[in-house]
Amino acid sequence: MLELGSGMAQGDDDDVPLILTWDEDANSGLLSDGALERVDENGTGDCDGVGDASVPKPVPVHSRAQISNRQSWEINYQEAAIYLQEGENNDKFFTHPRNPQALNAYLFAHNHLFYLMELLTGVLLMMLSLSEAPAVPSLRLDVYVHATLELLALVMVAFELCMKLRWLGFHTFIRHKRTMVKTSVLLIQFIEAIVILVRQTSHLRVTRALRPIFLVDCRYCGAVRRNLRQIFQSLPPFIDILLLLFFFMVIFAILGFCLFSPNSNDPYFNTLENSIVSLFVLLTTANFPDVMMPAYSRNRWSCVFFIIYLSIELYFIMNLLLAVVFDTFNGVEKMKFKSLLLHKRSAIDHAFHLLVTRQRPDGISLKQFDGLMRFYKPRMCARDRFLTYKALNQSDTPALCLEDFYKFYEVIGLTWKARQSREHWFDDFSHTMFLIFKGIYILVKSKAFQYAMYVVVAVNGIWILVETNMLNGGLRSGTVARSYIVFLTIYGVEMLLKITGLGPMAYFSSGWNLFDFLVTVIAFLGLIATAFNMEPFYFIVILRLLQLLRLFKIKQRFRNVLDTMFELFPRMASLGLTLIIFYYSFAIVGMEFFADVIYPNCCNTSTVADAYRQVNITIGNDTVLQDGYYYLNNFNNILSSFVTLFELTVVNNWYITMEGVTSQTSHWSRLYFMTFYIVTMVVMTIIVAFILDAFVFRMNYSRKNRETLDNSEDEKGIVFEAEVACAEIRQTLELYKQILPGTNLSSLQGLCVAIEQTADSVVFLGRRARTKSDLSMKMYEEEIQEWYEEFSRISFSQSEQTLQD
Amino acid sequence: MLELGSGMAQGDDDDVPLILTWDEDANSGLLSDGALERVDENGTGDCDGVGDASVPKPVPVHSRAQISNRQSWEINYQEAAIYLQEGENNDKFFTHPRNPQALNAYLFAHNHLFYLMELLTGVLLMMLSLSEAPAVPSLRLDVYVHATLELLALVMVAFELCMKLRWLGFHTFIRHKRTMVKTSVLLIQFIEAIVILVRQTSHLRVTRALRPIFLVDCRYCGAVRRNLRQIFQSLPPFIDILLLLFFFMVIFAILGFCLFSPNSNDPYFNTLENSIVSLFVLLTTANFPDVMMPAYSRNRWSCVFFIIYLSIELYFIMNLLLAVVFDTFNGVEKMKFKSLLLHKRSAIDHAFHLLVTRQRPDGISLKQFDGLMRFYKPRMCARDRFLTYKALNQSDTPALCLEDFYKFYEVIGLTWKARQSREHWFDDFSHTMFLIFKGIYILVKSKAFQYAMYVVVAVNGIWILVETNMLNGGLRSGTVARSYIVFLTIYGVEMLLKITGLGPMAYFSSGWNLFDFLVTVIAFLGLIATAFNMEPFYFIVILRLLQLLRLFKIKQRFRNVLDTMFELFPRMASLGLTLIIFYYSFAIVGMEFFADVIYPNCCNTSTVADAYRQVNITIGNDTVLQDGYYYLNNFNNILSSFVTLFELTVVNNWYITMEGVTSQTSHWSRLYFMTFYIVTMVVMTIIVAFILDAFVFRMNYSRKNRETLDNSEDEKGIVFEAEVACAEIRQTLELYKQILPGTNLSSLQGLCVAIEQTADSVVFLGRRARTKSDLSMKMYEEEIQEWYEEFSRISFSQSEQTLQD
């Protein structure tokens, strides 16, 4: 977001910054860099694996020997903004730019355009596998076309890496593990792309499985990186339990082989390898009870073997896995939150000391804050900058002390709105109108109205169910049931009543109302389309069903569940993306080895031949196609591979795909499927642990919150207040005119006029949605204080030490 | 355990009990019954559902107007022992016996003989279903035989109930829900048994499904009752989420019906009912990907429908279920622990005030404690009674104060042993022998020896694996590989070395060593049996594999896992028993409705006909039996039913059994299978939540413990110390001789002689295994103090109130 040249400051000649970064004593202040690096060591931040080495201290961005006071303020603003951004993005401070060239590269590499380029390059590289052989038929491209495209994308990646090298410096660059991995993968891919262009044909390219690295490394995929890190952190205990699992599996396999191999009807235990594979598949329950049946039919007591095996492996050790991952996950989440919090705090420390003046070293004035914000959020209007300052300044002193400034990240994302002094939106209307609207308002707010609507929705649901059940078999597309029009009309009337009663602003501020509105309006549009015979049939079916979702507003628990679902959505999406990245790598490997080995009637020699059979059977006079369909689960292109891998993730009947492929290739193919199973098991266990953790956390939170706060506040999200007096605005306006003559101050002027018309002062409310971080802040309230104290103790002792040195 | 007539006391004439229960002021003391009942209200104890009603105050057990001081002490001892037993068993105090007849009935109904009778009656009633039609073939009994047996068992139950009625009194009896349910079930069963005897044929007896009630109600099944209560407590939130699940299922079923029913090749969505059933089965993943295939083969994008459905239902809401149950479970566990703890505390309060004398109202002397113990644990020897008293008496005053007495339940289960002053068991041997043994000791204790053994075990494991792999196909029973004899010899030598080095006592005190010893000795016995051609072949295979388990001693985490497994075993067993009780009820219902409907080639009209087919196919000249085997999963007798239900629990392919039965009966049968699925899902989720909770708890515990205590102490279990001087013993001996002339004091006398020979005083160590309750005590350390304070505050205010009344 940082952009250069957003208005140079003027009138900064009076104040002198406390820290001029080239001063020798700048590093020996309260804020010693040593202390900050100490925190980074615990960090689970972006650039881990480098933090513990001896980190070079940040050196001044500019060599500022001959620049004026005003210019040095501008530089300080910019550097403070960079620090705050690093705090927000969890970038470690040792990647802080250290000279003007580095600063330029840093600024070039840190804006949304560049990020977008990174993202698009990554996506393009991954999308290429749609067109490379074996390609999706409709997207097939010639070899030279896709190889050229790949080369182009790789050049882009190389360019991005060059910018990074310029910004980080060679020394830091080669010690940044992730970047080095990326560089080497880039080199390999580059060579391979050239080889393909030269030979004009694709060779076995398993290295394509590494392509997701380019996507994962881009700025917008930070959440995916964090997930991957969390997965790797959970691995060591996971592997221990996995060993336990395999140990018992082998023991039971030997036992099973000894017990059941004399039975010639039992294909599952006739060799030791089959025995192990059978028990591996049994662990996923996919071949149960078939695997037991031959033994069971010979001796009924043989079921004891399988019951004991499943009890130990499936019901005990697999749950143990979940317990271990859940436990690790819990700890990791807390540590991550702690290190992020302390990192942000130290970023604020850094920024604060760059913004205070020599004259007043314990507070930031509005002028300096405004200067910072012009770099940190150039698009923010003057009014919001001022209001943010007011919201931060809780002690009501003329300057912002450090304690106030620590709230920076909580306040920065707020959207500001003047508090409505009116109770209803129609208070200004004439008396008759007021009474009418008031009546509607009371009606809409009444419990009876709400429950009547629930009844309507419930009746609608039952109606749909009955109706669908009635038209068994014959579905006539195009005709819309009259009942639907009736229900839709009711919903429409309800919507209009609510909008008129509550007022458009209040109505649309609720997510549920917005949902109702959209579904109803789209349904009406669909109805109109039907009238013109445009047949958006399935569309209407889905909309009708969506309307039923409203029923879940009835119960507090459902609302909680759905709210939590929405809160968790970003995190869930990033977990899904992580899974897709694993899928991608496995899909590439699968395509390289198993493309086109599966086709109808391919596996007649295997034990799962039936599932792949496609034959015409003549029964009487009819010829019926008997179809096992499993040949559709193949690795013939990347989309099919993804579907096949999803089926393998769901686990049921996955051994049919495995055995089919194995019968067409070698029995080493099983390794691929088993590895995939274990990898998805890890990821899925993490997902389960995450959902468990999030919900248990959320439930604990709402239990804790119920004790201290009323629930109404809870539902509004995060709210900050700022009271603004007319005189204050005028003063600020003057100040702005003085320091930023040419800029657009209309937002502030408009505010000034508005206040003068109505009252002396106006209270503004800044709102934003609640994030997981806010929840954590509340949950760990007490511990946070301890962390802060510990942190400042370390900082203090470090600075003491620095002074003594 | 309480037994009458364990020696009447003498010499009690000097002290007068503080509380003579017939005194009017006895109820107005510090220990008001009102306060105690208050605690019971929160209780999740055994007799819940009655506690909140106005409870009649306990009245004196005996009418003690004309009895001597000594006799009144005996009565006090007995009543205190009853209170302590009630505290231990979590029986509520309102079931306290209130008159001599009740006391007699109470004592009759509270000993192991009676409990065993209860248990046997319950088991017998359940076992009857093995012999009732449809019976297990080899156990079939004539109708009049099993009906007579049943009647006999029911008479026993009736007798037990009569005893309970006598002890509780009619008023309490009819307000005790569990007992009332039991009585009404008993009546129904009684009538039915008589009807069967009269008609000489069994009728449709679904009420047999209620038989587990008799088992659950018996004293030894308290853990099962607690599990059931926990399951019912977790139900409300569970049902909420289940509704959410079904709501989405119905929505998707309607959508799926609309989307896929035009495809005539798709049998899964051709009617709305099929659609719902298919999606229900899909929720268990049992029909995936088959259910998707017809639609997928027509349009590749239809997989999106299934992916979204599975993501929402299986991966999100099902995990939500686990989260909700886990959260509830967590809270319930803590509440249960709290109420148990406070119940025990108030039991101790009760007992304490019955044991102190008027002369010294704040302490229990040894004489009184001994009197109590003679009733509480009649089998305990005099030495242990004395040592227990010493262990409790931590303040070293002549009498036991209340604070000391609160530790009663922690100390009572200890087994006492004199601390070994010798470092090694061979210290007394001659010098040469000592050196030899010392050498062995050092060898056995060395890391090198341990790791060498691990290597041997690992080699043994690999050897077995390779060997088993080599003899692919041909398994020659009776011949034992020479390698086995070699390894067994190594194990034997190791065992002998360890026994000689550590001494037999130290060796056998470790569970792992005991395990080694047993496995090795049994293996030798097996080997000898083989030499005599007795062919215990599988037996030896299992033993060989068991020896590999030792490898898990290497890593701390494995040890932790296995230790936790052993600690959890009783609880797991009770959960397993709970599951079996559900199985039993479902098996009875299944047998009544579905017995003999499944047989080979039974379901040729259904979609799962293949699985039930048993045909001879001629390929070339050979006739091969093609067998679907699923006809083996039937409800023909109770054992088959159990196996079938286990298969349904594992879920995979459960729809084959469901569809098979459905095709032979009506489609209402699906209700049975779906209900069973939901019930096992509840139980299984609880089991998973339990394992999760237990392990997370245990890991937190060991993390917490590592901070405060060293680990070595942790592994020993619970240890108490008591130092005993020679003079003290002599004094005690005199006391005992005085108050209990005729009894056996050999244990104390022996101790006295032993101490005189060696030293002035001996330290005794009392040990017991650590239980979940000990872990909880440590985990909730701080909260426990709060609970106690709250509890005593309530008691105090209650007693204040009583005084004012």
Side-chain angles (χ1 to χ4, degrees), chain A residues 746-774:
Chain A
S746 57
S747 60
L748 260 184
Q749 278 156 344
L751 179 62
C752 194
V753 174
I755 294 180
E756 273 172 353
Q757 279 177 352
T758 54
D760 274 354
S761 71
V762 167
V763 174
F764 277 84
L765 294 180
R767 285 170 204 275
R768 63 182 167 82
R770 204 176 35 225
T771 62
K772 177 95 201 275
S773 157
D774 293 311

Side-chain angles (χ1 to χ4, degrees), chain A residues 55-299:
Chain A
V55 183
K57 287 187 179 179
V59 297
V61 169
H62 294 249
S63 160
R64 305 179 198 176
Q66 284 89 26
I67 46 179
S68 76
N69 195 12
R70 192 188 307 159
Q71 278 171 307
S72 91
W73 266 121
E74 286 296 310
I75 291 162
N76 271 15
Y77 293 158
Q78 192 168 47
E79 193 161 7
I82 290 175
Y83 269 124
L84 289 175
Q85 274 181 338
E86 282 170 339
E88 194 178 10
N89 299 333
N90 199 21
D91 290 329
K92 294 289 158 269
F93 297 127
F94 77 92
T95 62
H96 200 76
R98 290 193 193 82
N99 54 54
Q101 290 82 33
L103 181 70
N104 283 334
Y106 179 91
L107 293 177
F108 185 83
H110 285 77
N111 64 65
H112 287 291
L113 214 69
F114 188 83
Y115 299 158
L116 211 67
M117 196 179 78
E118 272 188 328
L119 184 71
L120 287 180
T121 325
V123 171
L124 175 67
L125 271 171
M126 282 181 72
M127 299 282 271
L128 274 180
S129 54
L130 286 168
S131 319
E132 290 166 344
V136 177
S138 56
L139 296 172
R140 196 188 306 279
L141 292 178
D142 275 337
V143 171
Y144 66 92
V145 179
H146 72 67
T148 314
L149 270 174
E150 187 178 357
L151 219 50
L152 211 76
L154 290 176
V155 169
M156 296 271 278
V157 175
F159 170 69
E160 290 155 19
L161 272 175
C162 282
M163 289 314 296
K164 199 162 189 179
L165 174 63
R166 215 176 134 81
W167 148 48
L168 284 176
F170 184 71
H171 196 66
T172 317
F173 185 81
I174 58 161
R175 283 163 63 230
H176 194 292
K177 264 184 204 159
R178 183 151 49 89
T179 311
M180 281 318 291
V181 171
K182 192 176 169 183
T183 313
S184 33
V185 171
L186 178 69
L187 269 176
I188 297 168
Q189 305 268 357
F190 221 97
I191 294 165
E192 286 203 301
I194 290 171
V195 167
I196 287 173
L197 263 185
V198 171
R199 292 179 61 216
Q200 286 287 322
T201 170
S202 285
H203 53 272
L204 184 77
R205 278 191 70 192
V206 184
T207 52
R208 287 192 295 159
L210 297 174
R211 273 182 190 163
I213 286 176
F214 300 122
L215 185 68
V216 167
D217 189 58
C218 88
R219 167 72 59 177
Y220 290 137
C221 291
V224 175
R225 279 202 299 282
R226 274 193 291 279
N227 288 332
L228 287 173
R229 193 171 310 116
Q230 213 150 357
I231 289 172
F232 287 120
Q233 276 165 341
S234 308
L235 270 188
F238 197 94
I239 287 171
D240 281 347
I241 308 292
L242 218 57
L243 282 180
L244 201 68
L245 198 75
F246 285 127
F247 179 79
F248 279 107
M249 192 185 293
V250 170
I251 283 192
F252 273 91
I254 295 172
L255 195 60
F257 173 67
C258 291
L259 289 173
F260 305 130
S261 65
N263 180 356
S264 61
N265 283 334
D266 195 335
Y268 298 100
F269 293 93
N270 54 3
T271 67
L272 189 61
E273 189 198 333
N274 275 351
S275 194
I276 291 175
V277 172
S278 295
L279 288 186
F280 188 94
V281 178
L282 179 55
L283 184 68
T284 68
T285 75
N287 59 358
F288 194 78
D290 308 85
V291 68
M292 179 175 94
M293 281 301 149
Y296 186 58
S297 76
R298 183 162 286 205
N299 179 350

Side-chain angles (χ1 to χ4, degrees), chain B residues 679-717:
Chain B
V679 169
T680 44
M681 187 169 71
V682 176
V683 180
M684 281 300 171
T685 313
I686 299 253
I687 290 180
V688 174
F690 165 68
I691 294 179
L692 261 182
D693 182 66
F695 268 85
V696 170
F697 183 88
R698 171 74 198 231
M699 283 182 248
N700 281 338
Y701 170 79
S702 61
R703 220 171 281 140
K704 201 180 167 119
N705 218 31
R706 210 173 298 141
E707 289 164 18
T708 53
L709 275 168
D710 53 326
N711 245 334
S712 58
E713 178 130 5
D714 186 34
E715 282 173 28
K716 278 183 196 161

Side-chain angles (χ1 to χ4, degrees), chain A residues 240 244 247 285-286 288 290 292-293 316 320 327 552 555 557-558 565 633 647 652-653 695 703, chain B residues 240 244 247 285-286 288 290 292-293 316 320 327 552 555 557-558 565 633 647 652-653 695 703:
Chain A
D240 281 347
L244 201 68
F247 179 79
T285 75
F288 194 78
D290 308 85
M292 179 175 94
M293 281 301 149
F316 188 75
L320 200 59
D327 187 61
F552 285 100
K555 198 156 183 180
R557 196 190 304 278
F558 294 139
M565 229 167 112
N633 306 325
E647 287 169 14
N652 193 62
N653 282 349
F695 268 85
R703 220 170 284 141
Chain B
D240 282 348
L244 200 69
F247 180 79
T285 77
F288 194 78
D290 308 85
M292 180 175 95
M293 281 300 149
F316 188 75
L320 200 60
D327 188 60
F552 286 102
K555 199 155 183 180
R557 196 191 303 278
F558 293 140
M565 227 166 113
N633 306 326
E647 288 169 13
N652 193 63
N653 283 350
F695 268 85
R703 220 171 281 140

Side-chain angles (χ1 to χ4, degrees), chain B residues 7 71 256 411 428 554:
Chain B
Q71 278 171 309
V411 169
D428 300 338
I554 296 182

